């Protein structure tokens, strides 16, 4: 960009963005997510009710990560057999005889 008029135009554009409270930054993501990220960013800059809804949904999704421990125990507690009073005792016999 050797043209000084282009530099001035770019500087003026970035100054207008800053005055509106919009910051430019780089995001690393998958190529397939590019349209999604751009559309989210575009809607967030509009700062309307749609932007507030998106912010709330993203904040909730990112602040409440799924629990990583106790997954098996939680699944067993959700089982339909909980409270059915099953009798699950094994016969503690002597076993079988073997020849050595």
């Amino acid at each position: 960009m050797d043209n000084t008029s282009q530099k001035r135009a770019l500087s003026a554009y970035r100054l207008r963005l800053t005055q509106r409270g919009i910051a430019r930054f780089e995001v690393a993501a998958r190529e397939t997510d590019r349209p999604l990220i751009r559309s989210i960013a575009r809607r967030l800059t509009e700062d309307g009710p749609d932007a507030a809804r998106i912010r709330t949904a993203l904040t909730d999704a990112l602040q409440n990560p799924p629990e990583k421990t106790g997954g098996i125990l939680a699944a067993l507690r959700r089982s339909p057999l909980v409270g059915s009073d099953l009798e699950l005792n094994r016969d503690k016999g002597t076993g079988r005889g073997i020849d050595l």
Side-chain angles (χ1 to χ4, degrees), residues 28-48:
R30 294 180 183 244
E31 182 66 31
T32 57
D33 292 333
R34 180 187 298 243
L36 173 66
I37 292 170
R38 283 186 172 174
S39 67
I40 290 171
R42 192 175 307 113
R43 290 207 182 167
L44 289 176
T45 58
E46 294 169 0
D47 209 26

Side-chain angles (χ1 to χ4, degrees), residues 3 12 16 20 43 46 50 53 57 59 64 71 77 97 100:
N3 192 347
R16 285 192 307 272
R20 288 176 43 201
R43 290 207 182 167
E46 294 169 0
D50 205 22
R53 182 182 54 79
T59 302
N64 300 325
R77 287 183 177 162
L100 294 176

Side-chain angles (χ1 to χ4, degrees), residues 26 28-29 35-36 39 41 51 56 58 70 82 93:
E26 186 175 330
L36 173 66
S39 67
T56 303
L58 289 174
V82 170

Side-chain angles (χ1 to χ4, degrees), residues 64-97:
N64 300 325
E67 293 184 19
K68 296 190 186 237
T69 59
I72 293 174
L73 181 60
L76 290 173
R77 287 183 177 162
R78 289 189 308 264
S79 170
L81 296 175
V82 170
S84 63
D85 296 328
L86 291 176
E87 193 67 35
L88 301 174
N89 292 329
R90 283 181 74 171
D91 180 29
K92 297 189 180 190
T94 58
R96 60 187 172 145

